[in-house]
């Protein structure tokens, strides 16, 4: 089953950029489709592969920050080629 996941990670500390950059670089290094914009990062692929990657990388990201939030949306389909029609 293919999924699309949108992630927004927010460290609740002053020096927040290193944790976000590390997290995104680890996602990029995977064999999954990863797209970014200023507000979130999207990961696309097989459910098991995506969730295995996210389980590992979210834990590591949380270990690098004092406190933080992660917002995650999961869609059951691969939406990497979505284009609005309006």
């Amino acid at each position: 089953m293919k999924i699309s996941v949108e992630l927004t990670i927010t460290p609740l500390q002053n020096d927040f950029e290193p944790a976000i950059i590390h997290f995104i670089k680890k996602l990029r290094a995977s064999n999954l489709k990863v797209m970014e914009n200023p507000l979130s990062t999207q990961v696309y692929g097989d459910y098991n592969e995506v969730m295995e990657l996210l389980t590992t990388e979210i834990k590591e990201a949380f270990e690098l920050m004092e406190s933080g939030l992660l917002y995650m949306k999961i869609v059951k389909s691969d939406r990497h080629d979505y284009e609005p029609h309006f």
Side-chain angles (χ1 to χ4, degrees):
M1 161 184 20
K2 298 291 185 186
I3 63 171
S4 302
V5 180
E6 179 181 60
L7 302 154
T8 302
I9 192 164
T10 308
L12 301 174
Q13 59 195 50
N14 289 331
D15 187 22
F16 60 89
E17 286 183 348
I20 294 172
I21 291 168
H22 179 79
F23 181 68
I24 292 172
K25 284 183 175 182
K26 295 292 291 249
L27 296 180
R28 286 180 185 166
S30 74
N31 64 343
L32 299 170
K33 175 82 172 164
V34 176
M35 299 173 69
E36 304 146 29
N37 65 51
L39 300 176
S40 65
T41 301
Q42 296 83 41
V43 182
Y44 306 91
D46 178 72
Y47 179 89
N48 290 331
E49 289 180 65
V50 171
M51 297 309 287
E52 183 178 323
L53 173 70
L54 293 180
T55 298
T56 301
E57 298 310 330
I58 291 169
K59 181 180 179 185
E60 187 174 317
F62 279 167
E63 289 171 346
L64 293 173
M65 59 181 94
E66 295 172 32
S67 183
L69 299 172
L70 174 78
Y71 297 97
M72 180 167 54
K73 299 176 195 174
I74 303 173
V75 177
K76 185 188 170 193
S77 68
D78 185 336
R79 306 284 292 171
H80 81 273
D81 58 357
Y82 170 78
E83 292 185 30
H85 301 287
F86 53 87

